[in-house]
Amino acid sequence: MLNGALWLDDRGRHINAHGGGILEHRGVFYWYGEHKGPGVNGKLAYDGVRMYASQDLQKWQDCGIVLQVNNTPGHPVCAGCRIERPKVIYCEKSGKFVMYFHSSNLEHRIAKRGLAIADDPAGPFTFISAERPNAGFLPLNAGTVEPGSYLPEHLMRNGEYEELKNSNFYLRDFAGGQMARDMNLFVDSDGKAFHIYASEHNSTLHIAELTDDYLYWSGRYVRVLPDRWNEGEALFTYRNKYYLLASGCTGWRPNAARSAVADSVMGEYTMLGNPCRGAGAEITFGGQSSAVFRAGDTYVAMFDLWNDQNFIDSRYCWLPVKFTGDGFEIHYQEKFEL
């Protein structure tokens, strides 16, 4: 598959699974993503979450819409809402396939975690709820908490500045739950699962431990890279290190990727800089990170090449991750193949 070209499914149609992720289950790779429509409004959900299946990551079978929108106005998955960044993991204890996604409205103001479950990787997925994480819980690394005033959202801006650092913005959402926008899921080697999401109006990432059935938060979570404005985040592990890949917050426009490393899943994380190398690295080769998955001994970083004027024509770039002594690198190559 040529990066940036049309990637066709078994029916000869462009694969439509954006902002997505890969679940490998019993020798099959399942690719879940946002079904996008034509034009500028194609960013909205008028179909739902689509899934494709493959055994070799080259030939993809279209398995259709596995989470359908409905026609109930105001419902979290009504037609015209936002269903973004869908990720699916399998819970060994329950035998359920669990989907998390960023659930929001047309105006992009709700910032909740959507939850759906299924008995089969091909669905259908049943919508369960849309909620904000960890209501009534403080982050484990909150330190000494002093009440204070919080910046109104309309005054928050991308960047580091004193008003934001002194705001303790997460305290504003203590009772009602934390904002959850771009998100991902991670299952560790011991089966413990974690929810990673952009919070505090996108200024800070949170990593939250999930309950054993993966359906809710345990109440244990940490703030990661505070006030650094990361989204498009992916969490993965290699040789007892935990790595983050993310992008900056510039909407649909590409920017330089970011990376970080920690000795444990909840950190503390240390910034490593842009892992991309070569021509186009300063704009992540025109893409934005969506997920990192493992295929055999190879780690693959998934990027979306967004077309914000015609979302259905957004494309993909998948690149191998190369681990180094102190982090990882991502080098561009024309063709994705293992």
Side-chain angles (χ1 to χ4, degrees), residues 21-25 28-32 52 88-90 97-98 121 125 293:
I22 299 288
L23 168 70
E24 183 183 5
H25 184 69
V28 179
F29 295 94
Y30 298 94
W31 179 2
Y32 302 87
Y52 298 83
V88 175
I89 53 178
Y90 176 65
F97 295 86
V98 180
F125 280 78
F293 68 93

Side-chain angles (χ1 to χ4, degrees), residues 133-147:
N134 294 305
F137 291 93
L138 288 173
L140 299 179
N141 57 350
T144 302
V145 177
E146 297 181 3

Side-chain angles (χ1 to χ4, degrees), residues 139-155:
L140 299 179
N141 57 350
T144 302
V145 177
E146 297 181 3
S149 59
Y150 320 119
L151 278 175
E153 287 186 34
H154 71 277
L155 292 181

Side-chain angles (χ1 to χ4, degrees), residues 286-300:
Q288 184 186 34
S289 50
S290 174
V292 173
F293 68 93
R294 185 175 178 179
D297 293 329
T298 302
Y299 287 71
V300 179

Side-chain angles (χ1 to χ4, degrees), residues 22 24 29 56-58 236-239 291-302 318-323 328-331 333 335-338:
I22 299 288
E24 183 183 5
F29 295 94
D56 62 5
L57 296 173
Q58 297 291 321
F236 53 103
T237 184
Y238 177 76
R239 292 188 178 177
V292 173
F293 68 93
R294 185 175 178 179
D297 293 329
T298 302
Y299 287 71
V300 179
M302 301 172 64
W318 290 8
L319 297 170
V321 175
K322 176 185 176 182
F323 292 95
F328 64 92
E329 296 178 351
I330 299 172
H331 295 255
Q333 58 188 43
K335 189 175 183 180
F336 167 71
E337 56 186 355
L338 291 178

Side-chain angles (χ1 to χ4, degrees), residues 65-129:
I65 301 296
V66 295
L67 176 65
Q68 296 270 358
V69 299
N70 61 49
N71 294 316
T72 305
H75 191 278
V77 291
C78 68
C81 71
R82 290 178 185 252
I83 299 174
E84 298 179 340
R85 306 281 175 177
K87 303 296 186 293
V88 175
I89 53 178
Y90 176 65
C91 182
E92 293 279 358
K93 290 188 176 181
S94 67
K96 300 289 186 182
F97 295 86
V98 180
M99 177 188 294
Y100 278 30
F101 59 90
H102 171 207
S103 175
S104 194
N105 58 355
L106 171 68
E107 294 81 14
H108 205 50
R109 292 178 180 170
I110 294 178
K112 291 183 177 180
R113 179 278 277 136
L115 169 67
I117 61 172
D119 295 322
D120 187 272
F125 280 78
T126 301
F127 174 78
I128 302 299
S129 65

